[in-house]
Amino acid sequence: MMEEASTSASGGGASANGGQRGFPPARSGVTFVPVGLVCLHASNHVAEIAHRYDIDCVPNAYKRNKQAYIKDSSISKNCTQEVKVKYLMRAPIYVYYELDNFYQNHRRYVKSRSDKQLRYGQKYTHSSCNPIERNDGLPIVPCGLIAWSLFNDTYGFTRGSTEIKVNRKNISWKSDREHKFGKDVYPFNFQNGSLIGGGKLDPDLPLSQQEDLIVWMRTSALPQFRKLYGVIEEDLQADEIITMHIANNYNTYSFGGKKSLILTTSTWLGGKNDFLGYAYLVTGSLSLFLTILFALIHVKNPR
């Protein structure tokens, strides 16, 4: 009798535990599906304009030889493009530039920098910055390939004849400005060589105030990425025509890269990102499906 009771209790315990093991997938499914719907709803409320301009900004005479166009300093790089605002965009509106097919995560590129030099100055220039370390025997500040390839396209916006101001302050991380880039470290001997990589820096501003550089130096893990350029602090109305004034300076033509200008709003979840919502929906739906499947199997073939 004792053995039977023990066996019965043990079986009941196993059955109870088995039932408990069946609950978590159902709970996760019931939780994940609504979360996914909420994330998609938030993402769909982000108004975004994405405009690729690297092809349209090339003059017709240079369509077949884009490298000749971008490398010839005598050719104007100014370009005007118009876009229509489809939906009301409420401030703040974030202005990003997007690069595609640009591998900032390449090992040699990522390592070509000196964090100590960025913080404390040229006395810390060392071989990690190769091949952009010195020019004419003098150290380069900031050294390395990342700084040398600084993005230098510029943007302006007008609504009719009225300028839309872009706030270029505080576009970088506060922690980077205060702890990674020196307040008494100034550009020195930068982009003075025969081969110019990208943008130049104001030699009279410390690195902690050169926010374009700070944003650029935070390298991306993927070949397609966006970096913050500025913030528009006024609303853009639906059906308005916005004129974009672009200085198309940056050479992406030599490696088949693409350049786009992005205007986007944000929600409590951030910018437009459907992936998170779909990930929750797929995971939750799969959990519910497996729960129902195992329940039917259990009903048909009970233990």
Side-chain angles (χ1 to χ4, degrees):
M1 291 293 292
M2 290 293 292
E3 290 179 358
E4 290 179 3
S6 176
T7 302
S8 176
S10 176
S15 177
N17 289 336
Q20 288 178 358
R21 283 196 294 268
F23 289 152
R27 286 200 297 267
S28 63
V30 171
T31 302
F32 283 3
V33 169
V35 170
L37 291 174
V38 170
C39 291
L40 279 177
H41 183 266
S43 179
N44 289 335
H45 275 70
V46 173
E48 181 175 292
I49 298 173
H51 181 76
R52 182 181 174 185
Y53 64 87
D54 58 294
I55 300 298
D56 293 340
C57 283
V58 177
N60 291 330
Y62 291 90
K63 291 291 186 182
R64 295 187 178 181
N65 193 355
K66 300 179 183 68
Q67 291 192 48
Y69 152 76
I70 200 68
K71 292 178 180 180
D72 191 340
S73 59
S74 65
I75 302 174
S76 173
K77 302 302 187 294
N78 294 330
C79 172
T80 301
Q81 302 274 294
E82 289 186 346
V83 293
K84 184 178 181 179
V85 181
K86 293 183 179 180
Y87 309 102
L88 170 65
M89 302 182 73
R90 296 193 181 278
I93 300 168
Y94 299 93
V95 181
Y96 292 89
Y97 57 87
E98 179 180 280
L99 295 181
D100 193 4
N101 200 36
F102 191 112
Y103 289 82
Q104 275 197 316
N105 60 348
H106 191 283
R107 183 180 62 85
R108 187 178 183 188
Y109 183 88
V110 170
K111 292 178 66 176
S112 184
R113 62 185 293 163
S114 173
D115 290 326
K116 284 188 175 181
Q117 188 207 63
L118 295 172
R119 185 72 178 92
Y120 300 109
Q122 59 181 279
K123 61 183 178 181
Y124 285 99
T125 302
H126 49 74
S127 59
S128 68
C129 289
N130 280 334
I132 311 298
E133 180 183 357
R134 294 178 177 272
N135 181 49
D136 292 335
L138 298 174
I140 298 172
V141 181
C143 65
L145 284 170
I146 305 176
W148 176 79
S149 62
L150 174 64
F151 187 80
N152 62 338
D153 283 7
T154 60
Y155 311 107
F157 304 90
T158 55
R159 180 197 288 119
S161 59
T162 305
E163 179 185 3
I164 300 174
K165 294 184 178 180
V166 181
N167 184 3
R168 306 272 282 120
K169 296 291 185 182
N170 299 322
I171 60 174
S172 60
W173 290 19
K174 184 179 179 181
S175 59
D176 286 355
R177 295 195 301 270
E178 294 183 351
H179 302 295
K180 293 187 177 182
F181 292 80
K183 295 181 179 179
D184 56 353
V185 179
Y186 292 82
F188 177 76
N189 200 24
F190 185 70
Q191 302 285 29
N192 288 337
S194 57
L195 187 61
I196 305 300
K200 297 188 176 183
L201 297 173
D202 187 341
D204 297 322
L205 278 181
L207 296 187
S208 61
Q209 295 181 30
Q210 311 248 15
E211 295 202 56
D212 285 331
L213 173 69
I214 298 173
V215 170
W216 181 255
M217 293 293 289
R218 186 168 282 278
T219 54
S220 174
L222 299 174
Q224 182 179 14
F225 58 86
R226 296 178 179 183
K227 291 185 182 291
L228 186 61
Y229 180 82
V231 181
I232 296 174
E233 297 176 333
E234 57 184 281
D235 296 346
L236 298 180
Q237 303 299 321
D239 298 325
E240 279 189 327
I241 301 298
I242 302 300
T243 303
M244 304 184 300
H245 304 274
I246 302 168
N248 184 32
N249 300 312
Y250 200 69
N251 183 7
T252 57
Y253 307 105
S254 60
F255 56 88
K258 302 175 184 177
K259 296 188 290 187
S260 299
L261 182 56
I262 312 295
L263 302 181
T264 182
T265 59
S266 65
T267 64
W268 58 271
L269 194 60
K272 192 171 186 64
N273 183 7
D274 291 341
F275 173 79
L276 183 62
Y278 284 121
Y280 273 113
L281 281 177
V282 171
T283 304
S285 300
L286 183 61
S287 297
L288 288 174
F289 171 76
L290 291 176
T291 300
I292 295 171
L293 178 63
F294 290 144
L296 293 174
I297 293 173
H298 180 72
V299 170
K300 184 177 181 179
N301 300 304
R303 282 190 277 185

